[in-house]
Amino acid sequence: VHNGAGAIDQAGLYEAVLTVTVTAKLKDKTVFLVEVGQAGIFRILHLPPQELDAVLGVLCPNTLLPYAREAVSSVMARAGFPPVLLQHMNFDAAYQERMRQLQQEQAAKAGTPG
């Protein structure tokens, strides 16, 4: 699962994209690979940058996940494979981990001579 977001315009419109990849392998051969990109347009107004980043990184993907889950399930059924039910993902934990890694990278850069 991968998610990303970006501003569309100056009027508070943002596009968020959640990409889900499901792969099944049998030994060294790929049985199937399904990749679904689910996008949404969100209007977000009057938030400080830090809160905006959290909304785009947590709330938007949480909103998109059920649609991506349905798309994966539908593709699998139409292809004749057993249903694949994606588990819930904790986007808040993933966001917090990404923020922790960014802080560590910034601290490492600050500690190295430029």
Side-chain angles (χ1 to χ4, degrees):
V1 175
H2 171 74
N3 64 306
I8 293 177
D9 65 12
Q10 299 298 320
L13 287 179
Y14 296 85
E15 177 186 44
V17 179
L18 177 66
T19 304
V20 177
T21 304
V22 178
T23 306
K25 293 188 176 201
L26 183 60
K27 297 186 181 181
D28 62 340
K29 299 201 186 261
T30 300
V31 178
F32 65 80
L33 183 143
V34 175
E35 186 167 86
V36 171
Q38 186 68 49
I41 305 294
F42 298 87
R43 179 174 297 269
I44 305 168
L45 302 170
H46 311 299
L47 282 180
Q50 184 177 355
E51 289 181 32
L52 176 63
D53 191 50
V55 166
L56 293 172
V58 178
L59 294 177
C60 293
N62 272 327
T63 302
L64 297 172
L65 183 60
Y67 299 101
R69 183 181 291 140
E70 174 60 30
V72 168
S73 179
S74 175
V75 166
M76 297 301 296
R78 287 188 310 219
F81 289 104
V84 172
L85 301 174
L86 299 177
Q87 297 295 320
H88 175 75
M89 180 167 176
N90 187 340
F91 290 102
D92 187 47
Y95 176 78
Q96 295 300 328
E97 176 63 20
R98 191 172 80 229
M99 292 297 102
R100 187 186 63 73
Q101 287 176 350
L102 285 173
Q103 287 175 347
Q104 286 179 344
E105 290 172 10
Q106 290 173 351
K109 286 181 183 177
T112 59

